[in-house]
Amino acid sequence: MKSALESDQMQSDQTQSSILSAWVSAMRPRTLPLALSSIGMGTFLAADHGAINLSIALLCAVTTTLLQILSNLANDFGDSENGADSDQRVGPQRAVQSGQISRRAMLVAMAMTGLLAILSGITLLWQALSSASGSIPWSTLLLFLLLGAVAIWAAVKYTAGSNPYGYAGFGDLAVLIFFGWLGVLGTYFLQANTLPFSLFWPATSCGLLAVAVLNINNIRDIDSDRAAGKYSIPVRLGRPRAVAYHWVLLIGAMIASFLYSWSLFRAGGSGWTFLFLIVIPLLIYNGLAVWRTPSDRLDPYLKQMALTSLLFVLTFGIGQLIG
């Protein structure tokens, strides 16, 4: 009798552990460095201009992380609904498609995550308004509220619902906008209350590296996406051109950062502003791996690209502060 109870308890513990593991996997923790990279870049730039506000930076990080988790959950749900997750898929097993998490439970989780993102975003704008002592016009705050609503819509509609834009090949543009321009420039503006045009270059660098992560993901899934009618950029271009596109993203990110650092160097900055160049060997390694590795073995390089993006932000930011 005791042995049977112990067996039942062990089975229950294993089931709970499996469910927890499925939820963690659905949230895709390895993608979160991308969310934090744009916030980190914006905060480093604000610190370099003497306008850092740690409470605003923290709220930016929380809000962006929640939006990234919402996007990941919606992607798990949407790809299951629209057929991109199937037995042909070579990436990690998805929670809804495998039956580990029910569709209803995933919808509830998406709703709760979206609500938390809204609450965090409103708190962020309230803190920004309080810190600015009225120097931020209400019209600007309303614009940020609108952008927040658009961000939630974009997180869900990437692959979920009818006519998801990710299936039409617009995912790369969305990533460039939200992980580059909006993430970096928005974080900077909420702390500094100004927006120099020159910051467009480092924001573009962040966005292009984030697109590179998505591109590896889409090259990996190129066959299953094509079969499901998901016309990502690699599906539209074909694998050889998608690899060339990957090199364009990596080189473009470095050029954009170099242009910004060069302008600072010419204005009297030191060579430390080019510290970010130490990540170039990692980018070359990633580009060669994507070129040479079969699609079904690309998964490790997706994680490597995400971590390289975070390292780029750290070295870029430290270089700006020192230089």
Side-chain angles (χ1 to χ4, degrees):
M1 183 70 176
K2 182 178 179 181
S3 177
L5 289 174
E6 289 176 346
S7 178
D8 289 344
Q9 182 62 45
M10 186 178 298
Q11 254 186 346
S12 176
D13 291 344
Q14 289 176 345
T15 300
Q16 291 177 1
S17 176
S18 176
I19 292 173
L20 178 61
S21 177
W23 278 112
V24 171
S25 178
M27 293 178 186
R28 303 182 205 173
R30 65 182 179 179
T31 66
L32 298 184
L34 291 179
L36 297 176
S37 291
S38 61
I39 305 305
M41 177 64 84
T43 301
F44 271 125
L45 291 169
D48 186 39
H49 293 177
I52 188 172
N53 186 314
L54 291 178
S55 60
I56 291 177
L58 178 61
L59 285 167
C60 284
V62 171
T63 304
T64 304
T65 299
L66 287 169
L67 288 172
Q68 179 63 44
I69 291 174
L70 173 61
S71 178
N72 292 340
L73 296 178
N75 187 236
D76 194 300
F77 178 84
D79 277 346
S80 176
E81 290 287 297
N82 292 307
D85 285 346
S86 64
D87 294 337
Q88 296 179 6
R89 188 174 182 275
V90 298
Q93 188 180 51
R94 296 290 178 81
V96 173
Q97 191 271 336
S98 65
Q100 294 176 297
I101 297 175
S102 70
R103 295 178 181 180
R104 179 180 176 81
M106 185 61 79
L107 284 172
V108 171
M110 288 165 57
M112 291 177 62
T113 306
L115 178 59
L116 288 174
I118 291 171
L119 293 175
S120 179
I122 292 174
T123 304
L124 166 62
L125 293 181
W126 178 261
Q127 179 64 35
L129 180 64
S130 301
S131 300
S133 302
S135 62
I136 300 180
W138 279 102
S139 58
T140 302
L141 291 177
L142 290 175
L143 175 61
F144 271 91
L145 281 173
L146 177 61
L147 290 173
V150 172
I152 291 175
W153 175 88
V156 174
K157 285 292 291 182
Y158 174 54
T159 58
S162 59
N163 301 315
Y165 66 87
Y167 279 64
F170 292 109
D172 294 51
L173 179 59
V175 168
L176 176 60
I177 291 172
F178 289 103
F179 287 87
W181 299 331
L182 184 57
V184 175
L185 300 179
T187 299
Y188 177 88
F189 178 83
L190 290 174
Q191 295 180 70
N193 307 145
T194 61
L195 195 58
F197 176 78
S198 61
L199 302 188
F200 170 82
W201 296 114
T204 298
S205 293
C206 263
L208 290 176
L209 292 178
V211 175
V213 175
L214 176 63
N215 192 51
I216 297 173
N217 180 84
N218 289 339
I219 292 175
R220 181 198 65 192
D221 296 340
I222 191 169
D223 292 329
S224 58
D225 283 350
R226 184 183 291 113
K230 183 178 181 180
Y231 296 104
S232 65
I233 296 297
V235 169
R236 290 182 180 275
L237 295 179
R239 196 184 195 282
R241 291 181 179 177
V243 172
Y245 170 62
H246 192 68
W247 281 107
V248 170
L249 295 171
L250 301 182
I251 295 171
M254 291 299 98
I255 290 175
S257 297
F258 184 86
L259 289 174
Y260 179 77
S261 294
W262 178 252
S263 67
L264 296 181
F265 181 73
R266 291 193 64 185
S270 76
W272 283 106
T273 57
F274 299 101
L275 180 63
F276 68 91
L277 293 176
I278 66 174
V279 306
I280 286 181
L282 295 174
L283 296 178
I284 293 174
Y285 171 78
N286 186 269
L288 292 174
V290 172
W291 176 35
R292 296 169 177 170
T293 307
S295 297
D296 59 351
R297 299 179 185 176
L298 282 176
D299 206 56
Y301 303 105
L302 193 156
K303 180 179 180 181
Q304 186 256 339
M305 186 68 243
L307 292 176
T308 299
S309 299
L310 184 58
L311 179 61
F312 159 76
V313 170
L314 290 173
T315 53
F316 183 93
I318 293 171
Q320 301 308 307
L321 293 179
I322 295 175

